[in-house]
Amino acid sequence: MLRIVVLISGNGSNLQAIIDDIHDDEIDAGVVAVISDNNDAYGLQRAKQAGIDTVVVNTKNTTSRREYDQQLQQQIDQYQPDLVVLAGFMRILGDDFVNHYHGRLINIHPSLLPKYQGLNTHQRVLDAGDSHHGASVHFVIPELDAGPLILQAEVPVHDNDNAETLAQRVHKQEHIIYPLVIKWFAEGRIKMQGNKTFKDGKELTASAAMLHLI
Ligand code: GAR
C-alpha cells in the first residue's frame, strides 16, 4: 500500500476527493495522516471523520522557517510516507525540506503552470482576459511552483465569470486530476528523474500532461 501523508491549511476539498477516490476505486493506497499548519482547518474534521490521524504543526513554538520545516518533517516521517501530498498547504517550504522528499512530494496549483505561479490566480486570469484557465499537479522542487508537471486540466473562462465561479470550475477539475495522479503513483507509473516527470518509463512532455476534460 502506498502510504500517503497529506498537508493542508484549509477546507480540504482535495483531501476529501483523494480519500473518497482511494475508497471508491479500491486504489492500493491509504492516507495515513493529515497534517495542518492551521488548527482551524476544516480539512482536519474531514480527516477525523475518515478515521485518519491528524497533527497540527503551528508556528507558535518555532523561531524560524527552518525550525518549522524541521518540526514538520519530524511529524511527517513518523508516518513513513511513500508520498507527501500538498493539498492547499499555504506555506512556502525550504530547500532542505523539499530535497528530503525528492521525488515523493507533489503539489496542486490552481493555474495552468508555468502561468500564474503564486497567489490569487483566478483573479489574475480574469484581469488578463484569458480564455482558458485550469489546475496543475506537479512534483515539488525548491523553486516555487516550478517543478515538473504530472497532469493538468483546462477549463474555459466565461464572460460572466468572477473569481468565485472560476475557482469552483477549477476545483471540480482538481478533484479529478489529483486522485488520478495518486492512482498512477500507487501503480508505480509516475517517477521524477533529473527534474523531469516519467510516466510509464517515458519522459512526459507538457502537452501529454494536459488532460482535456471539457
Ligand atoms: C486548491 O485550489 C489548490 O489548488 C490551492 O488551494 C486550494 C485548496 O483547496 N493551492 C494553492 O493555491 C497552492 N499554491 P482545498 O483546501 O479545498 O483542497
Side-chain angles (χ1 to χ4, degrees):
M1 181 188 90
L2 185 84
R3 296 174 61 82
I4 302 170
V5 169
V6 181
L7 270 52
I8 58 159
S9 297
N11 180 23
S13 69
N14 278 286
L15 165 70
Q16 190 71 59
I18 291 165
I19 293 170
D20 292 347
D21 232 61
I22 286 174
H23 178 261
D24 295 349
D25 284 0
E26 297 177 15
I27 298 169
D28 190 17
V31 179
V32 291
V34 172
I35 301 181
S36 178
D37 58 337
N38 168 17
N39 212 3
D40 299 327
Y42 180 62
L44 291 171
Q45 305 306 319
R46 297 180 188 270
K48 283 177 190 152
Q49 267 163 30
I52 297 166
D53 277 11
T54 59
V55 180
V56 175
V57 183
N58 56 37
T59 48
K60 267 187 214 143
N61 305 318
T62 57
T63 53
S64 66
R65 202 174 87 178
R66 195 185 164 81
E67 203 185 318
Y68 180 89
D69 284 1
Q70 282 168 351
Q71 288 193 12
L72 184 62
Q73 186 177 315
Q74 220 170 39
Q75 293 295 330
I76 294 171
D77 286 350
Q78 281 187 15
Y79 290 93
Q80 299 182 306
D82 303 304
L83 183 66
V84 178
V85 171
L86 305 180
F89 188 67
M90 301 310 278
R91 281 183 65 86
I92 293 174
L93 296 159
D95 293 7
D96 288 349
F97 180 96
V98 170
N99 289 330
H100 177 73
Y101 297 105
H102 181 85
R104 53 186 178 124
L105 179 61
I106 59 174
N107 181 44
I108 191 156
H109 182 77
S111 79
L112 294 174
L113 290 172
K115 290 179 95 176
Y116 305 109
Q117 299 166 336
L119 298 173
N120 301 323
T121 58
H122 310 301
Q123 191 56 52
R124 286 160 64 203
V125 164
L126 291 171
D127 292 347
D130 290 1
S131 61
H132 286 85
H133 183 32
S136 306
V137 178
H138 63 95
F139 281 105
V140 178
I141 60 169
E143 204 183 327
L144 187 67
D145 294 334
L149 293 170
I150 304 171
L151 187 59
Q152 294 184 303
E154 193 179 70
V155 301
V157 180
H158 299 317
D159 287 345
N160 56 354
D161 268 332
N162 55 43
E164 188 51 40
T165 57
L166 194 51
Q168 279 172 13
R169 196 170 308 124
V170 170
H171 258 113
K172 266 195 190 157
Q173 303 306 313
E174 291 189 344
H175 300 162
I176 295 169
I177 63 174
Y178 223 0
L180 186 54
V181 167
I182 284 164
K183 181 169 184 278
W184 290 343
F185 257 96
E187 293 168 348
R189 297 178 62 188
I190 294 282
K191 299 224 159 18
M192 177 167 77
Q193 270 163 12
N195 275 3
K196 293 192 170 113
T197 299
F198 284 76
K199 180 157 173 246
D200 299 329
K202 287 196 202 111
E203 187 183 329
L204 198 69
T205 60
S207 59
M210 180 67 79
L211 189 70
H212 293 278
L213 290 160
I214 291 183

